[in-house]
Amino acid sequence: MSSIIKILSDSVINKIAAGEVVERPASVVKELIENSLDAGASDIAIDIEQAGRRRIRVTDDGCGMTEEDARTSFLRHATSKLTDDADLEAVRTMGFRGEALSSIASVSQVRLLTALKGAPSGTLVELEGGAIKSVTDAAAASGTTIEISHLFYNTPARLKFLKSAATEFSQIATAVSRQAMANPSVRFKLTHNQKPLFNLPPTTTVEERAANLYGNEIAENLLELDGGRDGIRVHGLIGRPGYTRADRTYQDFYVNRRAVKNTSLSHALYAAYGDMLMRDRHPVGFLFIELDPALVDVNVHPAKTEVRFRNQAQLHDLVRDEVREGLRAHGQPGQGGPYAVGTSAQAFYADRVKEALTDFGDRISEPALQISHMHHSQEEYFDTHSEIRLPQASPLFPLAQIHDSFIIAQSREGMAIVDQHAAHERVLFEKLQDQAKSGTMPVQNLLLPLQVELGPAQGNLLSEYLPELVKIGFIVEDFGNHDFVIKAVPALVVGADYKKMLLDILDEVNIHGTSRRMDGLRDGILSVMACHPAIKIHRHLDRKEMEMLLAELFQCRMPHTCPHGRPTIIRFSMDELKKMFKRM
């Protein structure tokens, strides 16, 4: 009987290893930059063609390699970064997996040119599918240039899982940006299809690097922090509480200069801001943590993007406390609250409906109070007043506001609490949606065009999507060097913060852009646009405004949620109210 278990060939083994390390072109860029940094480079140039599918070339001025090292570097488990198993307990280099270059080479065509500093000549190594084709002497500047061509050419299934060129290059730009933030003293240059994206000069501070990389719009809203205890240092940049973004794009955590993902660190950042954050808004933060390498395990993920700490809870509390202290030091007291993180709307209102009703007389307008005393049953009330008070399109009659934020309304079945911002957001979204689909979007030219300065990555993204924005009435012109001017906006959003709206649109595109069909992306952008001019909380509405808002809400196709999925209305039946007050 033949054996069931077989030993895989080296070719298959290498491709499996490549699947762990080389997820997409950005993974290759990350690995190559880490090698350059470990080689002591002070100048790193990254040249990309066709979002990395055709070519990735990384050139550095690091220490370079001999011919023997150049050959050996492509063997499995060959590395200059570990000597024995003790090194695994405290990894001090950016990369250590010996099979990284081997894995990359197994799914691409590779050309490596390297030379030691002061050497009369260098070495050229060429590989295809992991096999060395030639090794020759060649003229070379000191340092290393490695060129990866036709990535995944021999694994077509992997090619099918790659996203669009825009998405893949966005991932590359993000990977380079994170390395640049962690290493401000190193010059980074990034080029795509022969078009320079950025050329970041070496700086002495993270603040300067942030301004060069992300533009003054973000840099001017960042606060510096530097603290720590028990041998752990926490430093970096955090955003002012009033400056938030629509997603987590501008949140990066670095452990010993390695960009990492860790849910505990992320939670600590949000806990520090507490209830200063509006729902669905996210803080900006670039946090650097320096600690003994023996206290962190970077081996839990093949690409070293996730880490585990020996004392996770202690580090969580330290990061939270240092961010809070950083906010206080700049006159922005950090705070927490029982509803700071993700309380459901239903639970929130159910806990408070008693107090909202018990002292209702102090919160509602006098006319509404008089009406409530005049009628002894809701049927009598609606029979008497619905024809003059209740808009035909709305099943709710507004009575008052709670804290100028939520509308208390009466229905035939009981009562409802309406989120005025979410309701108006739904109304504006569907109007914008209808106008965009019909091609009749009214546009308002700005009397004074608004200038917006962006960072290289954001500027490149906006340039690509300008035609789509024009189609929905948001007219922006590219003035070059990542400077843009907003010249006109849809008439329905007049009066909003156009600059903040544009940044939120870019966040939406960056996260969801090419992973959606264009119709879905357009709706995502429209939902962002609807949010900004919508009636905010803490805004007083008179009776007519409340009636009009409810009437328009119930003319919508989906009146019960805002465009982001939050409820617009929380209803309570008479039976539910009676149970709350122990009447049944």
Side-chain angles (χ1 to χ4, degrees), residues 321-341:
D321 294 345
E322 292 302 332
V323 173
R324 282 181 180 173
E325 185 56 38
L327 291 170
R328 291 190 188 101
H330 293 277
Q332 304 284 348
Q335 51 185 300
Y339 296 98
V341 183

mmCIF file of all heavy atoms in Angstrom, residues 321-341:
data_model
loop_
_atom_site.group_PDB
_atom_site.id
_atom_site.type_symbol
_atom_site.label_atom_id
_atom_site.label_comp_id
_atom_site.label_asym_id
_atom_site.label_seq_id
_atom_site.Cartn_x
_atom_site.Cartn_y
_atom_site.Cartn_z
ATOM 1 N N ASP A 321 -3.158 56.213 30.005
ATOM 2 C CA ASP A 321 -2.829 57.288 30.939
ATOM 3 C C ASP A 321 -1.933 58.336 30.298
ATOM 4 O O ASP A 321 -2.103 59.542 30.533
ATOM 5 C CB ASP A 321 -2.149 56.715 32.186
ATOM 6 C CG ASP A 321 -3.081 55.827 33.006
ATOM 7 O OD1 ASP A 321 -4.300 55.881 32.764
ATOM 8 O OD2 ASP A 321 -2.578 55.072 33.862
ATOM 9 N N GLU A 322 -0.974 57.910 29.477
ATOM 10 C CA GLU A 322 -0.059 58.870 28.867
ATOM 11 C C GLU A 322 -0.761 59.715 27.798
ATOM 12 O O GLU A 322 -0.468 60.895 27.650
ATOM 13 C CB GLU A 322 1.146 58.148 28.257
ATOM 14 C CG GLU A 322 2.073 57.503 29.278
ATOM 15 C CD GLU A 322 2.630 58.511 30.285
ATOM 16 O OE1 GLU A 322 2.764 59.701 29.940
ATOM 17 O OE2 GLU A 322 2.926 58.093 31.421
ATOM 18 N N VAL A 323 -1.700 59.116 27.079
ATOM 19 C CA VAL A 323 -2.466 59.898 26.105
ATOM 20 C C VAL A 323 -3.352 60.907 26.839
ATOM 21 O O VAL A 323 -3.451 62.080 26.441
ATOM 22 C CB VAL A 323 -3.313 58.992 25.200
ATOM 23 C CG1 VAL A 323 -4.240 59.829 24.316
ATOM 24 C CG2 VAL A 323 -2.408 58.122 24.319
ATOM 25 N N ARG A 324 -3.988 60.478 27.920
ATOM 26 C CA ARG A 324 -4.797 61.408 28.717
ATOM 27 C C ARG A 324 -3.948 62.558 29.233
ATOM 28 O O ARG A 324 -4.349 63.724 29.184
ATOM 29 C CB ARG A 324 -5.434 60.674 29.900
ATOM 30 C CG ARG A 324 -6.643 59.836 29.539
ATOM 31 C CD ARG A 324 -7.205 59.176 30.788
ATOM 32 N NE ARG A 324 -8.376 58.364 30.478
ATOM 33 C CZ ARG A 324 -8.977 57.572 31.351
ATOM 34 N NH1 ARG A 324 -8.514 57.488 32.591
ATOM 35 N NH2 ARG A 324 -10.039 56.867 30.997
ATOM 36 N N GLU A 325 -2.762 62.226 29.738
ATOM 37 C CA GLU A 325 -1.878 63.258 30.263
ATOM 38 C C GLU A 325 -1.420 64.192 29.142
ATOM 39 O O GLU A 325 -1.295 65.406 29.344
ATOM 40 C CB GLU A 325 -0.670 62.613 30.943
ATOM 41 C CG GLU A 325 0.263 63.606 31.630
ATOM 42 C CD GLU A 325 -0.451 64.462 32.651
ATOM 43 O OE1 GLU A 325 -1.351 63.953 33.358
ATOM 44 O OE2 GLU A 325 -0.115 65.659 32.743
ATOM 45 N N GLY A 326 -1.181 63.633 27.958
ATOM 46 C CA GLY A 326 -0.811 64.469 26.821
ATOM 47 C C GLY A 326 -1.915 65.447 26.453
ATOM 48 O O GLY A 326 -1.657 66.612 26.122
ATOM 49 N N LEU A 327 -3.161 64.997 26.522
ATOM 50 C CA LEU A 327 -4.291 65.884 26.247
ATOM 51 C C LEU A 327 -4.397 66.969 27.321
ATOM 52 O O LEU A 327 -4.601 68.147 27.013
ATOM 53 C CB LEU A 327 -5.589 65.073 26.197
ATOM 54 C CG LEU A 327 -5.741 64.119 25.015
ATOM 55 C CD1 LEU A 327 -6.939 63.200 25.213
ATOM 56 C CD2 LEU A 327 -5.895 64.890 23.709
ATOM 57 N N ARG A 328 -4.231 66.584 28.586
ATOM 58 C CA ARG A 328 -4.314 67.566 29.671
ATOM 59 C C ARG A 328 -3.210 68.614 29.553
ATOM 60 O O ARG A 328 -3.425 69.798 29.826
ATOM 61 C CB ARG A 328 -4.201 66.864 31.029
ATOM 62 C CG ARG A 328 -5.384 65.990 31.395
ATOM 63 C CD ARG A 328 -5.295 65.551 32.848
ATOM 64 N NE ARG A 328 -6.330 64.570 33.152
ATOM 65 C CZ ARG A 328 -6.140 63.276 33.235
ATOM 66 N NH1 ARG A 328 -4.924 62.781 33.018
ATOM 67 N NH2 ARG A 328 -7.123 62.461 33.525
ATOM 68 N N ALA A 329 -2.020 68.166 29.168
ATOM 69 C CA ALA A 329 -0.893 69.091 29.068
ATOM 70 C C ALA A 329 -1.128 70.178 28.036
ATOM 71 O O ALA A 329 -0.524 71.249 28.102
ATOM 72 C CB ALA A 329 0.388 68.314 28.741
ATOM 73 N N HIS A 330 -2.001 69.894 27.083
ATOM 74 C CA HIS A 330 -2.316 70.876 26.040
ATOM 75 C C HIS A 330 -3.699 71.491 26.252
ATOM 76 O O HIS A 330 -4.311 72.001 25.305
ATOM 77 C CB HIS A 330 -2.236 70.228 24.661
ATOM 78 C CG HIS A 330 -0.845 69.823 24.272
ATOM 79 N ND1 HIS A 330 0.069 70.702 23.730
ATOM 80 C CD2 HIS A 330 -0.205 68.626 24.371
ATOM 81 C CE1 HIS A 330 1.206 70.072 23.500
ATOM 82 N NE2 HIS A 330 1.066 68.811 23.875
ATOM 83 N N GLY A 331 -4.198 71.398 27.504
ATOM 84 C CA GLY A 331 -5.474 72.034 27.803
ATOM 85 C C GLY A 331 -6.673 71.292 27.281
ATOM 86 O O GLY A 331 -7.753 71.856 27.114
ATOM 87 N N GLN A 332 -6.516 69.978 27.003
ATOM 88 C CA GLN A 332 -7.621 69.159 26.511
ATOM 89 C C GLN A 332 -7.776 67.975 27.446
ATOM 90 O O GLN A 332 -7.249 66.903 27.193
ATOM 91 C CB GLN A 332 -7.330 68.657 25.085
ATOM 92 C CG GLN A 332 -7.039 69.750 24.083
ATOM 93 C CD GLN A 332 -8.298 70.464 23.653
ATOM 94 O OE1 GLN A 332 -9.399 70.017 23.929
ATOM 95 N NE2 GLN A 332 -8.140 71.585 22.987
ATOM 96 N N PRO A 333 -8.468 68.142 28.578
ATOM 97 C CA PRO A 333 -8.516 67.056 29.564
ATOM 98 C C PRO A 333 -9.109 65.781 29.003
ATOM 99 O O PRO A 333 -10.227 65.767 28.515
ATOM 100 C CB PRO A 333 -9.395 67.629 30.691
ATOM 101 C CG PRO A 333 -10.183 68.710 30.044
ATOM 102 C CD PRO A 333 -9.309 69.279 28.966
ATOM 103 N N GLY A 334 -8.331 64.697 29.055
ATOM 104 C CA GLY A 334 -8.857 63.404 28.631
ATOM 105 C C GLY A 334 -9.886 62.934 29.638
ATOM 106 O O GLY A 334 -9.819 63.252 30.814
ATOM 107 N N GLN A 335 -10.841 62.193 29.184
ATOM 108 C CA GLN A 335 -11.903 61.745 30.076
ATOM 109 C C GLN A 335 -12.468 60.451 29.568
ATOM 110 O O GLN A 335 -12.339 60.101 28.409
ATOM 111 C CB GLN A 335 -13.005 62.803 30.196
ATOM 112 C CG GLN A 335 -13.510 63.303 28.854
ATOM 113 C CD GLN A 335 -14.496 64.430 29.021
ATOM 114 O OE1 GLN A 335 -15.516 64.256 29.645
ATOM 115 N NE2 GLN A 335 -14.214 65.574 28.448
ATOM 116 N N GLY A 336 -13.121 59.744 30.444
ATOM 117 C CA GLY A 336 -13.806 58.515 30.078
ATOM 118 C C GLY A 336 -15.215 58.575 30.595
ATOM 119 O O GLY A 336 -15.556 59.402 31.412
ATOM 120 N N GLY A 337 -16.038 57.690 30.148
ATOM 121 C CA GLY A 337 -17.413 57.680 30.617
ATOM 122 C C GLY A 337 -18.028 56.337 30.356
ATOM 123 O O GLY A 337 -17.558 55.575 29.514
ATOM 124 N N PRO A 338 -19.092 55.993 31.048
ATOM 125 C CA PRO A 338 -19.689 54.670 30.893
ATOM 126 C C PRO A 338 -20.238 54.436 29.503
ATOM 127 O O PRO A 338 -20.441 53.298 29.113
ATOM 128 C CB PRO A 338 -20.800 54.659 31.950
ATOM 129 C CG PRO A 338 -21.104 56.105 32.205
ATOM 130 C CD PRO A 338 -19.815 56.824 32.027
ATOM 131 N N TYR A 339 -20.482 55.501 28.734
ATOM 132 C CA TYR A 339 -21.022 55.323 27.392
ATOM 133 C C TYR A 339 -20.016 55.760 26.333
ATOM 134 O O TYR A 339 -20.377 56.066 25.217
ATOM 135 C CB TYR A 339 -22.330 56.115 27.242
ATOM 136 C CG TYR A 339 -23.405 55.591 28.153
ATOM 137 C CD1 TYR A 339 -23.663 56.200 29.364
ATOM 138 C CD2 TYR A 339 -24.094 54.426 27.825
ATOM 139 C CE1 TYR A 339 -24.624 55.696 30.218
ATOM 140 C CE2 TYR A 339 -25.058 53.917 28.679
ATOM 141 C CZ TYR A 339 -25.323 54.551 29.876
ATOM 142 O OH TYR A 339 -26.257 54.045 30.720
ATOM 143 N N ALA A 340 -18.737 55.788 26.718
ATOM 144 C CA ALA A 340 -17.730 56.287 25.789
ATOM 145 C C ALA A 340 -17.494 55.337 24.633
ATOM 146 O O ALA A 340 -17.152 55.752 23.546
ATOM 147 C CB ALA A 340 -16.399 56.509 26.535
ATOM 148 N N VAL A 341 -17.658 54.047 24.851
ATOM 149 C CA VAL A 341 -17.358 53.085 23.799
ATOM 150 C C VAL A 341 -18.572 52.213 23.524
ATOM 151 O O VAL A 341 -18.923 51.355 24.316
ATOM 152 C CB VAL A 341 -16.156 52.193 24.190
ATOM 153 C CG1 VAL A 341 -15.813 51.253 23.057
ATOM 154 C CG2 VAL A 341 -14.953 53.049 24.548
#
